[in-house]
Amino acid sequence: MKINYEILSRRDKVQLTIEPEILDSEIVDNSRPLAIISDENVAKLHAKPLCQKWKKGGISCQLFTVPAGENSKSSETMTSLQLQLLQAGYGRDCVIIGIGGGVVTDLAGFVASTYCRGVPLILIPTTLLAMVDAALGGKTGINLPQSKNFVGTIYQPESIWIDPNVLETQPLDSFRDGLVEMIKHGLIWDANIFSWIEQNVERLLKKEPSTLKKGIIDSCKIKLSIALRDTMETGLRRLLNFGHTIGHAIETVSNYEVSHGTAVAIGCLVEGHLSHLAQSDLDRIAKLFHRIGISLEAAQKIPAEKITQAMCYDKKGIHSVPRFVTLEAIGKAHSHKGDYCTFINENEISKALEWMHHDLHKLARP
Ligand SMILES: NC(=O)c1ccc[n+]([C@@H]2O[C@H](COP(=O)([O-])OP(=O)(O)OC[C@H]3O[C@@H](n4cnc5c(N)ncnc54)[C@H](O)[C@@H]3O)[C@@H](O)[C@H]2O)c1
Ligand SMILES: [Zn+2]
């Protein structure tokens, strides 16, 4: 399955290919030197074998590895990579290939967008979250000690190659984070996709290839439909933040002990409650999160005042007052006159956080 899309504002063309075993085929040309950026886990499992195969095929390529984990999205790692590229003789004619999860695709994207004022980029996402979210839409970035993703660029790769087979090696815990983003895409954009996930959740959890491929294609289409209409995040793209105003606050307050997927799942339910979704819809959403193995217990433990404080730093906020994406129903978000997010009065937010503590865990279970 190939999807070609054009970034109209910049005339960039991106080719997205989603195909099991695509990485086993001859996909790279040998006319440009390749610099592969990966993390230690993915290098061992996927990037090193690919690099060796390409070398055998006469392609000039070298692998640059960073430690696995969020800490590698730092200015130190970025500078070190740029120096290593320079020392290895890479110039404007090279291509950077990021092979890994969202940490690697964000970091490699940022390096590619700044090295020699920008060199071509190819992304090979290897986590479900990177396939349906991080690798699509052109956002790149690194963290500052004070704030996640604070420094970055909008830079489109020339190609994205998605091989669902690489997910066989992804641990289930982080695989669930990707499933939560797929569910979020259904919630904000397409009720049929939400229902399809409900019907296929066991097959997705077993990583059945044809089911995974369909789920990834549908989810990528939703992310692209939204991100390409609003590359600079001035309106529609805010929808992708559904569940994330509360979710990011939970991650921060828990010192990142609560995973992104769990925090966003709780965030989707609390923001669904703030949207006045019917009880039956909230039950349906909670049931699906339970079925993919997300435990919602963290919701009872995080102090409401700390969540309120942490939400002041949300990027959608104005003058430190948070704004929320809200839903009319499963599959349909409110447009709020093109802002796609809205202020909600303090009292209602406090009540919703109380509901999170005392009632969220009473929602239906499978
Ligand atoms: N740019 C964007 O639009 C965007 C959107 C969402 C998230 N992100 C970013 O993505 C990052 C999170 O990405 P993530 O969840 O993929 O985490 P990650 O990149 O840290 O990967 C999770 C873990 O899985 C390992 N891994 C990756 N692929 C594997 C595979 N196939 N087999 C075995 N192990 C594998 C990694 O080494 C790592 O230890 C965050 O930094 C977030 O800010 C960016
Ligand atoms: Zn997310």
Side-chain angles (χ1 to χ4, degrees):
M1 164 90 193
K2 276 192 198 309
I3 303 172
N4 291 306
Y5 58 95
E6 202 165 322
I7 311 298
L8 293 175
S9 55
R10 295 174 39 107
R11 307 227 164 276
D12 293 334
K13 283 205 168 71
V14 183
Q15 189 178 76
L16 167 63
T17 309
I18 305 166
E19 204 58 66
E21 291 171 23
I22 169 107
L23 299 180
D24 294 333
S25 58
E26 301 306 320
I27 38 177
V28 288
D29 68 63
N30 61 2
S31 62
R32 304 176 294 182
L34 311 180
I36 302 174
I37 297 178
S38 192
D39 74 25
E40 280 161 357
N41 298 336
V42 180
K44 252 188 257 152
L45 293 163
H46 303 289
K48 216 170 181 185
L50 260 183
C51 182
Q52 279 163 354
K53 183 184 113 174
W54 288 338
K55 270 187 181 157
K56 269 196 194 151
I59 292 166
S60 147
C61 67
Q62 195 172 325
L63 175 62
F64 301 86
T65 306
V66 301
E70 191 67 31
N71 286 346
S72 281
K73 269 175 62 175
S74 67
S75 49
E76 292 80 9
T77 314
M78 194 207 51
T79 311
S80 153
L81 280 171
Q82 308 244 20
L83 281 171
Q84 291 177 59
L85 291 172
L86 180 73
Q87 279 157 7
Y90 284 93
R92 297 211 61 167
D93 61 335
C94 76
V95 182
I96 289 183
I97 307 198
I99 308 183
V103 163
V104 167
T105 56
D106 274 8
L107 176 67
F110 192 48
V111 171
S113 70
T114 47
Y115 190 66
C116 295
R117 295 209 173 83
V119 296
L121 169 70
I122 293 173
L123 292 177
I124 303 182
T126 62
T127 61
L128 185 59
L129 182 136
M131 291 179 184
V132 301
D133 194 356
L136 305 172
K139 280 193 190 175
T140 82
I142 56 171
N143 304 325
L144 292 183
Q146 294 80 358
S147 181
K148 256 194 92 174
N149 296 325
F150 203 78
V151 179
T153 53
I154 302 281
Y155 193 71
Q156 301 296 339
E158 59 176 39
S159 309
I160 304 167
W161 294 324
I162 294 183
D163 182 345
N165 288 357
V166 300
L167 297 174
E168 271 170 30
T169 56
Q170 184 183 8
L172 198 54
D173 268 352
S174 66
F175 182 77
R176 287 191 183 103
D177 289 356
L179 288 176
V180 170
E181 302 293 347
M182 284 171 64
I183 294 170
K184 177 204 72 181
H185 286 159
L187 287 172
I188 57 176
W189 200 253
D190 190 338
N192 292 328
I193 300 285
F194 183 86
S195 307
W196 181 87
I197 299 175
E198 286 181 313
Q199 286 151 19
N200 289 280
V201 70
E202 274 76 31
R203 281 185 277 272
L204 285 168
L205 285 167
K206 281 188 198 142
K207 303 183 183 172
E208 195 191 276
S210 58
T211 313
L212 258 188
K213 180 178 168 185
K214 177 175 164 32
I216 292 168
I217 290 173
D218 288 346
S219 209
C220 285
K221 282 185 181 163
I222 295 179
K223 167 100 198 222
L224 289 173
S225 302
I226 296 172
L228 296 182
R229 282 188 226 172
D230 177 20
T231 45
M232 302 308 283
E233 195 158 357
T234 52
L236 191 67
R237 198 169 179 153
R238 294 193 183 113
L239 287 189
L240 295 165
N241 252 283
F242 179 66
H244 283 65
T245 312
I246 301 275
H248 282 151
I250 292 176
E251 279 184 287
T252 310
V253 172
S254 75
N255 224 349
Y256 293 91
E257 271 176 30
V258 177
S259 72
H260 184 69
T262 301
V264 170
I266 296 170
C268 286
L269 289 165
V270 179
E271 293 177 27
H273 179 77
L274 280 170
S275 306
H276 306 293
L277 284 186
Q279 177 73 27
S280 55
D281 282 345
L282 290 173
D283 280 329
R284 236 180 114 186
I285 302 169
K287 228 175 176 173
L288 187 52
F289 286 139
H290 279 299
R291 286 175 71 202
I292 66 166
I294 296 278
S295 153
L296 301 170
E297 284 182 358
Q300 294 167 63
K301 297 183 190 144
I302 311 224
E305 329 75 71
K306 290 205 171 158
I307 293 189
T308 311
Q309 269 167 21
M311 281 192 305
C312 298
Y313 297 100
D314 189 79
K315 292 197 189 88
K316 296 181 299 307
I318 298 180
H319 303 307
S320 304
V321 182
R323 292 192 292 174
F324 295 84
V325 176
T326 60
L327 300 185
E328 278 178 40
I330 288 179
K332 193 165 188 335
H334 282 287
S335 89
H336 296 294
K337 296 186 181 146
D339 278 341
Y340 296 97
C341 64
T342 186
F343 293 111
I344 291 183
N345 85 43
E346 270 176 45
N347 208 9
E348 247 187 273
I349 299 174
S350 307
K351 278 193 195 153
L353 292 174
E354 249 175 64
W355 174 85
M356 177 182 92
H357 276 166
H358 302 297
D359 300 302
L360 188 146
H361 70 279
K362 296 180 196 154
L363 289 171
R365 283 165 187 263

